[in-house]
Amino acid sequence: MLIESSAYASRWRDVAPAAKALFALAGFVAAWLARSPVAFAVLTAMLVLAALLGARVQLRSYIAVALPPLGFLLLSCLTMLFGPDANGHWNLTTTMLPTIEHLALRSFAMLAAMLGLVLTTPLPDLLALLRKLRTPELLLDLMVLCYRMLFVMRQAWDESITAQTARLGYRNWRQAWRSTGLLAGQMAIQVWQRAAALQTAADARVYQGTLRFLPAAYPQAGRQITFSVLAGALMLAIALGDRL
């Protein structure tokens, strides 16, 4: 929900998805080519500032979306610090520190490129871009259904929480645990019923296996793509200069 709301509120909401995708792709490639910590820091700073200052994504939203993948990355780096010694015993080791540092910095830069794309581009625009790239329709339909089911689950969860709160279901810890268990047990049933209603609505509209959206127009797409290519070329030049 936070990702989609940030995308619609972004200053780059009306920028052509192809331009934003090219900029993100250039960030990915540059992060893959770079080697030194300085180059990674420069690339990450450019990508983060582009989202925060260029697209005007709120800092609070940016951090909230970035925290889960950063936590996963931190956990992965910590597990790499442990390895077997000559006797086969697992102990804390520092032999992997250079590799861990390189992977962490590269992951930071790639994450910044990904966040810059998803926090500024709503899903319908991404689907339109993927359709132009001849992505299989089955995959696009699955993306739409998963996207819609997130809102269905959120609505069912909020309505259930409101109903339980009105009945004093969270007046103490014991009652709160009981209400949470009942809620978890009922969520599957509610989501199943609402998904069946969505399928019935789609069948009533003669759904034939392809979901279509009203295409958006981008009058300045050519200019925007030009700026994106120039910015991407700058990041690639930094990465290539660092590599050479």
Side-chain angles (χ1 to χ4, degrees), residues 172-195:
N172 53 50
W173 282 104
R174 181 178 180 183
Q175 195 68 22
W177 277 106
R178 182 176 182 274
S179 298
T180 304
L182 292 173
L183 177 61
Q186 290 295 321
M187 277 295 295
I189 299 176
Q190 291 195 33
V191 172
W192 180 274
Q193 292 174 344
R194 299 188 186 206

Side-chain angles (χ1 to χ4, degrees), residues 140-217:
L140 298 180
D141 291 346
L142 289 175
M143 293 174 60
V144 174
L145 291 176
C146 293
Y147 171 77
R148 182 68 183 99
M149 288 306 300
L150 290 176
F151 290 92
V152 171
M153 293 180 65
R154 178 60 182 269
Q155 183 181 6
W157 180 271
D158 290 343
E159 291 177 354
S160 300
I161 289 290
T162 302
Q164 288 182 333
T165 303
R167 294 174 174 83
L168 303 180
Y170 296 91
R171 59 185 176 180
N172 53 50
W173 282 104
R174 181 178 180 183
Q175 195 68 22
W177 277 106
R178 182 176 182 274
S179 298
T180 304
L182 292 173
L183 177 61
Q186 290 295 321
M187 277 295 295
I189 299 176
Q190 291 195 33
V191 172
W192 180 274
Q193 292 174 344
R194 299 188 186 206
L198 287 175
Q199 182 63 44
T200 302
D203 293 338
R205 291 169 174 80
V206 196
Y207 172 70
Q208 297 179 350
T210 301
L211 297 171
R212 296 290 180 178
F213 297 90
L214 184 65

